[in-house]
Amino acid sequence: MDVIHSAVWVSDIDETLAFYTDALDLEKTREFESGEGARNVFVAGEGDTEIQFKYLPDRDAPEPAGYDHVAIAVEDTDATVERLVAETDCTLNRGPLDSEGANARVAFIEDPDGYGIELVEEFD
C-alpha cells in the first residue's frame, strides 16, 4: 500500500494554485471536473504523492477542522520562509527551528485558506 493523494476544499482555486505552483514550486499534474461540477486540480513535487484541491464556486469557505498540516521538503527552510513571506504575505506560525526529533530544520506556515504547511529541510 501507498499514499496516493490528500484532498482539500479551497475557496479560490487560482490563488491556491499560484501559492503551491509559483511560490512553493510544486507542479500541476492534472485536472478534471467531477460530476457535481467541482474543479479538481492536483499538484506534486518530485515524488508520486499528490495534493488534490477541490473547488466549487458556491461552496462555503473551507474549515480545516481536524486537519493539521502537509509537509513539503525544501532545500533551505530559512530562505524559503523569508521568500514566501515576502512574496505571498503568508502567515508564519512557528519557526524556523531545529527539530532534533525530526532530524530537520522546520517552519510552519499557512496557505491562502489557512491550511498548515510544514517546510522541512532534513539534516545531512
Side-chain angles (χ1 to χ4, degrees), residues 2 46 83 88 90 93 100 118:
D2 196 7
E46 295 175 7
R83 180 181 59 77
T88 71
C90 67
N93 290 327
E100 297 303 325
E118 178 183 15

Side-chain angles (χ1 to χ4, degrees), residues 106-120:
V106 301
F108 294 86
I109 62 170
E110 292 180 8
D111 79 358
D113 279 304
Y115 290 118
I117 300 171
E118 178 183 15
L119 304 172
V120 181

